[in-house]
Amino acid sequence: MLYVIFSEDIKNSLTMRVKARPAHIARLQALDDAGRLFVAGAHPAVDSDTPGEAGYTGSTVIAEFDSLDVAQKWADADPYVLAGIYAKVIVKPFMKVLP
């Protein structure tokens, strides 16, 4: 089943994000390589694809996991969580309707 992982950053997280990003991306790449990643991306703090120093306010991941518990454990082990970048992480089942 698909699960959505919606994460909100702490304020002024950009410097921390840059440092933890390679490990964060590596985990997402592993999901993608396994054919389990539907979509992943960041939420720019401003209305731009290149927010620069404004940084980001969070991230969304939608991926396939065996259960809500497994999805939660995966989210809890995210390098951004471990680095203190995310202030809040919500994990929920997700049902794709369209397209």
Side-chain angles (χ1 to χ4, degrees):
M1 178 169 194
L2 291 173
Y3 295 87
V4 62
I5 302 168
F6 182 79
S7 306
E8 294 181 13
D9 283 22
I10 61 170
K11 291 189 185 287
N12 303 313
S13 63
L14 185 58
T15 301
M16 295 167 65
R17 266 183 170 262
V18 169
K19 185 176 179 182
R21 189 171 192 272
H24 173 77
I25 295 297
R27 291 181 83 238
L28 292 170
Q29 187 62 58
L31 275 180
D32 192 40
D33 292 347
R36 296 173 36 212
L37 183 62
F38 180 68
V39 69
H43 304 196
V46 294
D47 192 11
S48 173
D49 287 338
T50 54
E53 291 185 23
Y56 302 90
T57 62
S59 304
T60 299
V61 173
I62 301 176
E64 185 179 334
F65 294 96
D66 291 335
S67 68
L68 179 58
D69 185 56
V70 171
Q72 183 68 59
K73 286 178 182 174
W74 187 90
D76 291 344
D78 190 292
Y80 283 0
V81 169
L82 301 176
I85 294 163
Y86 290 152
K88 182 178 181 180
V89 177
I90 298 170
V91 181
K92 293 183 176 187
F94 180 81
M95 185 177 71
K96 181 180 182 248
V97 175
L98 291 171

